[in-house]
Amino acid sequence: MNTAERLMYEWKALPWKDIERQVFKLQKRIYQASVRGDVSIVHKLQRLLLRSWAARCLAVRRVTQDNRGKRTPGVDGKTALTDKERMELVQNLNVTVKAQPLRRVWIDKPGTTEKRPLGIPTIADRALQALVKLALEPEWEARFEPNSYGFRPGRGSHDAIEAIFKNIHYMPKYVLDADIAKCFDRINHAALLEKLNTFPLLYRLIKIWLKAGVMDGKELFPTEAGTPQGGVISPLLANIALHGFETAITSAFPSTMRRNGERLTRAQPRVIRYADDFVILHRYLDVIEKAKTLAEAWLQTMGLELKSSKTRLTHTLHPHEGNVGFDFLGFTIRQFSVGKAQQRILCNGQVKLTCKTLIKPSPQAVERHYRQIAEIITTHSSAPQEAVIARLNPIVRGWCGYYRAAVSKTIFRKLDHLVTRKLLWWAKRRHRKQSLKKAVARYWHMERAQRRWIFGTKTGMDLLQHADTPIERHTKVEGTRTPFDGDWAYWAKRMGKHPLLPTRVAKLLKRQHGSCPLCGLYFKDDDVWEVDHILPKQYGGKDVYQNLQLLHGHCHDRKSRQERGIRVKDDTVEEPCEVKVSSTVLKTSSVGDHWA
């Protein structure tokens, strides 16, 4: 066996279950030491993790296999790697290597004509950043503030929305809705490195990444500030830079005060942050105005400032300066007065609920979604009905999955009506000499159970309806919970109810007890998941729950290659090999029956 074949074999034969277990045990120990405040033990364990063979293998796999942007090249032009190259990268991964410049890529900002700059590192730098992130993240997860939700494991935008709802549900409040101007591009490097306060080796490495420069075309530009978007570790560094923002504002307002010798209790303002977007909530306007001044002063210490065009004062119930309610993370949050019949008295018998809180998809989000659907229908005016449905269903499923935790049923029905009208135009345009009645009979069929028309084919391929998505309330993450606390029962159960999960995935996750049946590892938020047919369709497998299982992305890729009987030399050349698919099917079927 030559060196290349040996390295390919070694990568495929790696015990990934044991590797993930080893890395997680180290991360858990780092988290626990950080909770205790034992800095020396934290740094000692981080050095151990950076030297760990298991952590290096896991970092390379996440960058070159699990990450769906793995084919985006850096300045060296390298994209996907073969198994041999992955194994060589693990062996050569060295924390002392000097970083190469980033490659500048400009992408569109949704809803605007502006461009967002991305800085794409090379694959080797991405793998090294993933390795450092494995060491840094558990330390800072023990220190991050409870109301920080962006770019953190086990947390998301729905947790931030639910935190806002819980804070304003019983009482209308004033709101400072703000955005930090070019947060990722303006963070002060000196202030960030001082806040990191890590050991010298890691300090120098992160400083090298921050100062690596950016290649825009053939020109090299220095990076004097910011953590360029596109790097694996950039979101974590941005969260570290903004750590302390919530505490600095809330601590400026004492929870108790004395007036005429009497001790009074006054609620502190609530700060809820998702990456560079945040809101500050309080009952009184003067507190919000003072909090805004404090926020501007604190951000200046990090080289940041508020974006004036996206910063405004408003109220959740009554108009203030022409504003009422606010938009946050694609949702519109607003309160409405209720009549006396709907008012409720709280358990203390003093406060009445005189308003109701409604959280809906924002009008801008609804318009963008419909424009996207209408553009697809227009561009597919000559395509078969199956192609139109196949193109639209993932978009409808994903958008409804994000907004099904809000008051969205009326908007879902409205969108179905608009999409139907657009599809009627599509059908009539294809058959201009026929009546609309005949066009409808050709492309729509009656669903007898609910007596409604469904856009679908005669073979049973139907367009998903927005209104068929059930409304499911999201459960906010508990306090300062983090996946590094080791409570997998909580996290597996929680992920089974996540609003971004399709119903099919949620059922499979619950049935499999939160783990992958092939490798036995638990699913995590940053893993890639694939719904797999235990018995493939080409061998008679049906699209039913008894024949489905949820797999990791890399496990699904490996199983698919075995089923096709293909030996993969690299990412471009494939050749057939003698593999009995029937044995693979029997093996995976037995695994699936175990979870049935």
Side-chain angles (χ1 to χ4, degrees):
M1 182 183 294
N2 57 35
T3 303
E5 291 178 347
R6 180 178 60 80
L7 292 176
M8 290 176 63
Y9 171 78
E10 287 179 358
W11 179 261
K12 293 177 181 178
L14 286 175
W16 291 111
K17 186 173 182 178
D18 294 335
I19 286 174
E20 284 220 14
R21 185 183 291 113
Q22 292 175 28
V23 174
F24 176 75
K25 284 182 178 180
L26 271 177
Q27 288 182 312
K28 185 178 178 181
R29 291 174 63 188
I30 294 172
Y31 170 81
Q32 292 172 341
S34 183
V35 170
R36 299 193 307 267
D38 196 339
V39 178
S40 61
I41 295 297
V42 169
H43 292 171
K44 181 179 179 180
L45 292 172
Q46 286 175 337
R47 292 189 189 95
L48 183 61
L49 191 144
L50 292 176
R51 295 192 300 267
S52 168
W53 172 265
R56 295 183 181 192
C57 292
L58 189 59
V60 171
R61 187 178 72 165
R62 289 187 177 180
V63 169
T64 63
Q65 283 187 295
D66 290 344
N67 186 0
R68 291 316 186 197
K70 59 190 176 185
R71 294 185 182 273
T72 306
V75 293
D76 59 354
K78 289 185 178 180
T79 55
L81 302 182
T82 63
D83 289 344
K84 171 180 173 293
E85 291 171 331
R86 293 186 183 110
M87 206 66 193
E88 290 176 346
L89 180 57
V90 171
Q91 294 175 342
N92 298 328
L93 206 59
N94 192 337
V95 294
T96 61
V97 175
K98 185 176 180 181
Q100 292 184 315
L102 309 175
R103 187 173 72 92
R104 175 68 77 205
V105 176
W106 297 89
I107 62 173
D108 295 328
K109 273 189 175 182
T112 64
T113 58
E114 299 180 9
K115 296 282 188 178
R116 176 180 283 120
L118 298 183
I120 309 298
T122 62
I123 289 184
D125 287 339
R126 273 180 260 172
L128 191 54
Q129 289 185 15
L131 177 62
V132 172
K133 184 181 178 182
L134 290 174
L136 271 182
E137 197 167 46
E139 174 195 357
W140 283 91
E141 279 296 313
R143 300 167 60 181
F144 279 145
E145 295 157 325
N147 285 304
S148 167
Y149 298 99
F151 303 119
R152 292 183 59 188
R155 292 168 176 251
S157 55
H158 293 87
D159 295 302
I161 296 298
E162 188 64 21
I164 294 173
F165 175 80
K166 289 181 178 296
N167 191 255
I168 67 175
H169 179 51
Y170 296 119
M171 184 179 296
K173 294 186 177 180
Y174 286 95
V175 182
L176 172 64
D177 180 18
D179 183 17
I180 303 174
K182 298 182 179 179
C183 175
F184 284 86
D185 300 329
R186 296 182 178 178
I187 293 175
N188 185 280
H189 288 172
L192 172 60
L193 291 170
E194 181 181 359
K195 188 174 289 188
L196 269 172
N197 192 28
T198 187
F199 54 94
L201 177 62
L202 202 55
Y203 178 95
R204 289 194 300 267
L205 185 60
I206 294 176
K207 185 176 180 180
I208 287 173
W209 288 334
L210 295 176
K211 303 291 186 182
V214 177
M215 289 289 295
D216 194 350
K218 295 183 178 180
E219 295 186 40
L220 177 63
F221 298 93
T223 50
E224 301 296 338
T227 58
Q229 300 180 66
V232 177
I233 203 172
S234 295
L236 176 60
L237 294 180
N239 271 334
I240 294 173
L242 295 175
H243 174 65
F245 178 72
E246 177 185 347
T247 304
I249 293 176
T250 55
S251 61
F253 299 89
S255 58
T256 59
M257 56 184 301
R258 290 188 176 274
R259 181 179 296 174
N260 298 328
E262 183 181 357
R263 186 176 181 180
L264 303 175
T265 301
R266 189 178 187 181
Q268 294 177 313
R270 179 64 60 88
V271 181
I272 297 169
R273 182 176 64 84
Y274 187 91
D276 58 344
D277 296 332
F278 67 90
V279 294
I280 302 178
L281 309 165
H282 198 269
R283 184 179 178 183
Y284 299 109
L285 179 60
D286 60 329
V287 174
I288 292 295
E289 291 175 340
K290 182 179 178 182
K292 180 182 178 181
T293 304
L294 292 171
E296 291 173 339
W298 189 92
L299 290 173
Q300 286 181 0
T301 63
M302 297 301 302
L304 303 172
E305 62 181 4
L306 297 180
K307 191 172 184 178
S308 57
S309 61
K310 291 188 177 181
T311 301
R312 62 174 188 159
L313 288 172
T314 183
H315 194 268
T316 57
L317 179 60
H318 305 295
H320 175 73
E321 298 180 354
N323 302 318
V324 58
F326 61 101
D327 293 346
F328 191 64
L329 301 178
F331 294 89
T332 293
I333 303 169
R334 185 178 173 182
Q335 293 176 314
F336 298 86
S337 300
V338 299
K340 291 184 178 180
Q342 295 178 296
Q343 293 181 2
R344 290 185 291 131
I345 300 177
L346 298 183
C347 58
N348 57 13
Q350 297 179 354
V351 182
K352 288 185 177 181
L353 291 177
T354 59
C355 62
K356 60 181 177 181
T357 305
L358 296 182
I359 301 177
K360 302 180 180 180
S362 67
Q364 295 82 2
V366 175
E367 183 179 0
R368 284 197 302 268
H369 178 59
Y370 174 70
R371 295 291 182 193
Q372 184 182 13
I373 291 178
E375 183 180 357
I376 291 173
I377 296 174
T378 301
T379 55
H380 287 68
S381 58
S382 301
Q385 187 182 17
E386 293 85 352
V388 177
I389 295 175
R391 186 73 176 84
L392 291 179
N393 274 352
I395 297 173
V396 173
R397 185 184 296 112
W399 195 85
C400 292
Y402 183 78
Y403 287 104
R404 70 180 180 183
V407 185
S408 308
K409 209 65 173 180
T410 301
I411 294 176
F412 285 170
R413 294 193 187 100
K414 180 181 177 181
L415 282 168
D416 285 335
H417 172 70
L418 294 175
V419 172
T420 300
R421 292 187 61 177
K422 189 67 178 177
L423 289 172
L424 286 171
W425 169 89
W426 176 88
K428 184 61 180 175
R429 187 181 184 279
R430 294 168 65 91
H431 306 282
R432 297 182 181 181
K433 295 183 179 181
Q434 294 184 3
S435 65
L436 184 60
K437 183 177 181 180
K438 289 185 178 180
V440 170
R442 181 188 295 266
Y443 296 109
W444 276 263
H445 63 85
M446 172 69 78
E447 188 183 54
R448 298 295 180 185
Q450 300 185 17
R451 297 187 61 81
R452 60 175 182 172
W453 290 98
I454 299 296
F455 184 78
T457 65
K458 294 180 181 180
T459 59
M461 186 177 185
D462 296 341
L463 177 66
L464 295 178
Q465 301 289 301
H466 293 78
D468 287 346
T469 304
I471 302 300
E472 298 181 6
R473 303 303 177 195
H474 178 67
T475 303
K476 178 182 172 296
V477 64
E478 295 178 2
T480 57
R481 283 271 198 171
T482 173
F484 298 112
D485 59 17
D487 190 355
W488 282 112
Y490 170 80
W491 289 104
K493 179 182 177 182
R494 173 175 172 78
M495 291 170 66
K497 296 182 179 179
H498 199 281
L500 291 180
L501 289 180
T503 304
R504 184 170 65 170
V505 174
K507 288 184 178 180
L508 292 175
L509 188 63
K510 183 178 181 180
R511 191 178 71 180
Q512 296 172 195
H513 306 290
S515 64
C516 174
L518 289 193
C519 67
L521 297 175
Y522 285 101
F523 291 104
K524 299 188 291 295
D525 271 359
D526 55 352
D527 287 340
V528 177
W529 304 344
E530 297 284 354
V531 176
D532 174 66
H533 290 80
I534 298 173
L535 180 64
K537 288 186 175 181
Q538 60 265 33
Y539 298 106
K542 296 182 179 180
D543 198 13
V544 294
Y545 279 108
Q546 289 75 12
N547 192 45
L548 297 178
Q549 60 184 351
L550 191 65
L551 303 178
H552 288 107
H554 50 271
C555 293
H556 180 264
D557 293 343
R558 184 182 63 189
K559 178 177 178 291
S560 298
R561 288 169 179 164
Q562 292 174 351
E563 289 171 352
R564 286 181 292 152
I566 289 177
R567 180 190 299 116
V568 180
K569 285 186 174 181
D570 51 42
D571 290 334
T572 57
V573 180
E574 297 182 352
E575 67 177 15
C577 63
E578 295 182 0
V579 176
K580 293 183 179 180
V581 181
S582 58
S583 62
T584 304
V585 172
L586 291 175
K587 181 179 180 181
T588 53
S589 297
S590 63
V591 174
D593 294 338
H594 171 71
W595 295 109

